[in-house]
Amino acid sequence: MTTDSKGRTLAERVDSVHRHGAPVTPEQRAAAEALLADLLEAAARHGVTLDDFDWTVDLPAGCLDVILAKARTRS
């Protein structure tokens, strides 16, 4: 299980993201968590961690934003 330097899991990081609009479904949160895990797996091959991303970008929020945007374009 991947955690950040504060011991928070990927699920906890995604769950802490709040956006305006319709409530985020559990399925959307799970999809964002899976996307985050896949991106971090690729980043690890370059020696980059979630903590490294935290210095420049909110990657968990970005993953959720992508999932929500894709849901909007489908409806």
Side-chain angles (χ1 to χ4, degrees):
M1 176 181 302
T2 302
T3 60
D4 63 13
S5 63
K6 295 180 181 177
R8 297 173 294 186
T9 66
L10 297 183
E12 290 170 328
R13 291 294 303 269
V14 171
D15 286 345
S16 70
V17 176
H18 299 283
R19 294 292 187 245
H20 296 285
V24 178
T25 67
E27 293 80 13
Q28 290 168 325
R29 288 203 184 275
E33 182 185 344
L35 176 58
L36 179 58
D38 288 346
L39 291 173
L40 289 174
E41 184 178 317
R45 292 192 296 271
H46 300 275
V48 177
T49 68
L50 181 54
D51 292 310
D52 295 322
F53 277 108
D54 284 343
W55 284 100
T56 59
V57 66
D58 187 348
L59 194 58
C63 290
L64 183 58
D65 287 342
V66 167
I67 297 301
L68 295 176
K70 289 184 70 65
R72 281 192 302 271
T73 61
R74 288 187 201 126
S75 50

